[in-house]
Amino acid sequence: MLTVRYFAGARAAANGTSSETVSAASLDDLIQVLTDRHGERLALVLKAASFLVDGLACHDRTVPLPAGATIDVLPPFAGG
């Protein structure tokens, strides 16, 4: 099982959920599970999001995720 934590717009798109547990083998699998669970609004955020796996940026969405990992979902941030 993985712990998924949502930040900013990702949290809003996940209906206010701040964290949840999910079973997935890779980020691609995780994205599909989360889209099935929360819908298209979150799917749009996930397409542009960055992911941290146990605090480290992960750019390859096909790499196997370690069991028990914490995945942070970081949508693009706006600011000035």
Side-chain angles (χ1 to χ4, degrees):
M1 292 300 279
L2 308 167
T3 300
V4 178
R5 300 188 304 184
Y6 300 100
F7 294 88
R11 180 179 294 165
N15 302 312
T17 302
S18 60
S19 69
E20 63 185 319
T21 56
V22 176
S23 180
S26 67
L27 287 177
D28 280 340
D29 292 340
L30 179 66
I31 290 167
Q32 186 60 56
V33 169
L34 297 177
T35 296
D36 293 345
R37 190 177 286 184
H38 295 286
E40 269 310 300
R41 185 171 169 213
L42 182 59
L44 291 173
V45 172
L46 295 174
K47 285 181 184 178
S50 297
F51 297 90
L52 300 180
V53 178
D54 289 334
L56 300 173
C58 183
H59 302 289
D60 185 348
R61 295 183 179 197
T62 64
V63 170
L65 295 170
T70 297
I71 312 301
D72 294 327
V73 180
L74 306 170
F77 293 96

